[in-house]
């Protein structure tokens, strides 16, 4: 007998999951330095188990909700938006989870506010309590973000006067705004693409990766994707100039969104505008938006040279792993080419990315939203750096425009795996932490199984 599914059950289960995430994060999250606990302490151990208990409950709630969305009486988009708001609520005041990047955002905003060049110096140049919160690997690293985001971070820094609790809350509100824009754009993009709006919301907005990394982690990818989605909606709605402005602003948060300008051009061509005019209009609009945003932010154009900031030989990425393996082999053989292995693989990865993106657009030009989603997925997969939340770049638009249910199923399976891939502290994992995380997940599975058995027993008695 199938596990009974109703919307209220999904709401409660998902809310329990995010509540455990928030509670566990109080001792095991990416806490301020002065609040960090020893990993072996009882509170940290319970927190880590609790976080992964919550992650598995959230994944289960999302999977059950997916069954409901595919049923004969699916919930409306409005009902799904209410579920999203309910699930996100416990995370609003929780500490940062799964990454310390939000501390970098705050430090970089304070640097801009103090007129320190964030594209020439790392947060160590700022000094003080905010800089101390930044992960050591990024202390001396220039900002990789565009002027639109840094201008926003600077304004937040001025508003909160560098106070850490207020800054963290402000950054989470910015992330929530981005998620809200994503949720608003998804049904409209789905209708334009001939897809089911409810299914698009389920995969693209209620996705565990959105809640874990965009809401709990407060990543700026949320505002990037929100602006990108809104820009595509504007372009598809016969407002190409506004669409180009919004997509450019998204790219001035994080550069990969610039691929969205291709979609804006293609949409105009499909609407009957000549290709040369569409390219010229979009390029001119993007250039004007870039100049205006950079002038307002006051950051200068150093961000262009800082675009390779995430590129590091120690990044986890397919090309980095292959590069390190090749380098080790060459070093073992005594070759002087060993130091060139990682850069060579990075260049090859960029070449493969460019070729794949070109192939996608040649094949899927009549479906610009889907083509853009696949392109961004390729950029994330073959780029020189990857994080679990990078998968959302492509997933967000694939959710809105996937041509078949099987595509959504495959993407959902990848989502479930990636949701389990990071420790709540945002730091490297050791064997002890891995055992605790697995224990929390297994405990959640046992509880879910017992709940399943308890709901089946009365039904079996009635049929007997």
């Amino acid at each position: 007998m199938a596990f009974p599914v109703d919307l209220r059950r999904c709401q409660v289960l998902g809310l329990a999951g995010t509540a455990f995430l928030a509670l566990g994060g109080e001792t095991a999250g990416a806490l301020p330095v002065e609040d960090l606990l020893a990993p072996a302490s009882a509170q940290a151990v319970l927190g880590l188990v609790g976080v992964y208990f919550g992650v598995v409950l959230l994944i289960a709630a999302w999977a059950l909700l997916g069954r409901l969305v595919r049923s004969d009486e699916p919930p409306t988009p409005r009902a799904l938006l209410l579920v999203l708001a309910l699930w996100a609520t416990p995370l609003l005041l929780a500490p940062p989870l799964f990454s310390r990047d939000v501390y970098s955002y705050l430090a970089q905003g304070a640097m801009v506010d103090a007129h320190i060049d964030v594209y020439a110096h790392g947060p160590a140049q700022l000094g003080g309590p905010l800089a101390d919160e930044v992960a050591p690997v990024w202390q001396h690293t220039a900002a990789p973000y565009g002027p639109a985001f840094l201008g926003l971070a600077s304004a937040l820094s001025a508003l909160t006067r560098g106070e850490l609790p207020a800054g963290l809350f402000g950054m989470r509100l910015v992330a929530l705004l981005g998620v809200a824009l994503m949720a608003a754009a998804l049904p409209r993009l789905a209708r334009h693409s001939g897809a089911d709006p409810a299914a698009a919301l389920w995969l693209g907005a209620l996705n565990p990766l959105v809640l874990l990394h965009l809401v709990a982690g407060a990543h700026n990818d949320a505002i990037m994707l929100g602006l990108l989605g809104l820009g595509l909606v504007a372009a598809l709605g016969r407002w190409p100039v506004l669409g180009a402005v919004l997509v450019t602003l998204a790219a001035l948060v994080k550069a990969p969104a610039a691929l969205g300008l291709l979609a804006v051009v293609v949409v105009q061509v499909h609407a009957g505008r000549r290709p040369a005019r569409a390219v010229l209009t979009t390029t001119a609009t993007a250039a004007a938006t870039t100049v205006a945003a950079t002038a307002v932010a006051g950051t200068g154009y150093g961000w262009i040279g800082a675009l390779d900031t995430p590129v590091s030989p120690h990044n986890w990425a397919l090309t980095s792993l292959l590069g390190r393996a090749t380098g080790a082999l060459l070093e073992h053989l005594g070759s002087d080419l060993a130091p060139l292995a990682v850069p060579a693989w990075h260049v090859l990865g960029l070449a493969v990315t460019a070729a794949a993106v070109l192939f996608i657009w040649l094949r899927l030009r009549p479906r610009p939203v889907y083509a853009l989603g696949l392109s961004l997925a390729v950029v994330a997969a073959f780029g020189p750096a990857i994080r679990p939340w990078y998968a959302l770049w492509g997933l967000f638009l694939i959710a809105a425009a996937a041509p078949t249910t099987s595509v959504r199923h495959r993407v959902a399976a990848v989502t479930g795996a990636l949701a389990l891939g990071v420790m709540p502290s945002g730091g490297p994992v050791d064997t002890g932490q891995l055992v605790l995380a697995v224990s929390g997940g297994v405990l959640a599975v046992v509880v879910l199984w017992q709940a399943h058995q308890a709901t089946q027993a009365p039904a079996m008695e009635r049929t007997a």
Side-chain angles (χ1 to χ4, degrees), residues 79-151:
L80 291 175
L81 291 174
L82 292 175
V83 173
L84 176 60
L86 181 68
W87 288 0
T89 297
L91 301 174
L92 184 60
L93 297 176
L97 286 165
F98 305 107
S99 170
R100 299 189 67 84
D101 282 5
V102 66
Y103 297 109
S104 295
Y105 303 160
L106 293 173
Q108 289 157 357
M111 290 173 70
V112 174
D113 194 40
H115 305 290
I116 300 173
D117 187 353
V118 290
Y119 299 125
H121 306 286
Q125 185 76 14
L126 176 69
L130 274 181
D132 292 341
E133 302 295 343
V134 178
V137 69
W138 303 120
Q139 283 281 351
H140 300 280
T141 304
Y145 310 119
F149 177 71
L150 290 174

Side-chain angles (χ1 to χ4, degrees), residues 202-398:
W202 170 76
L203 183 57
L206 286 132
N207 195 296
L209 289 179
V210 171
L211 290 155
L212 298 180
H213 296 296
L214 300 192
V215 179
H219 283 285
N220 59 6
D221 303 70
I223 198 69
M224 177 193 81
L225 292 174
L227 289 169
L228 177 61
L230 211 59
L232 294 175
V233 169
L236 290 164
R238 306 297 179 91
W239 295 87
V241 172
L242 177 60
V245 169
L246 291 169
V247 170
T248 303
L249 288 175
L252 295 177
V253 174
K254 296 189 83 168
L259 279 173
L261 294 172
L262 279 174
V264 174
V265 170
V266 170
V267 166
Q268 291 180 72
V269 172
H270 287 171
R273 181 168 290 186
R274 286 178 296 181
R277 185 181 175 189
V279 170
L280 181 61
T281 301
T282 303
T283 302
T285 303
T289 304
T290 300
V291 170
T294 304
V296 171
T299 58
Y301 291 89
W303 59 272
I304 297 173
L307 289 176
D308 64 347
T309 293
V311 179
S312 162
H314 305 291
N315 273 322
W316 192 96
L318 177 61
T319 52
S320 294
L321 290 174
L322 291 171
R324 288 197 287 272
T326 304
L329 178 61
L330 291 173
E331 192 172 316
H332 179 73
L333 296 174
S335 172
D336 295 333
L337 298 176
L340 301 176
V342 171
W345 274 104
H346 284 168
V347 170
L348 180 60
L350 293 174
V352 169
T353 299
V357 168
L358 178 61
F359 175 78
I360 288 168
W361 282 95
L362 289 175
R363 288 290 303 271
L364 296 174
R365 192 168 45 195
R367 307 189 63 187
V369 175
Y370 189 47
L372 179 58
L374 291 177
S375 298
L376 288 170
V378 168
V379 169
F382 291 100
I386 189 169
R387 304 286 187 272
W389 52 94
Y390 288 7
L392 290 168
W393 299 352
L395 183 150
F396 168 57
L397 298 176
I398 292 172

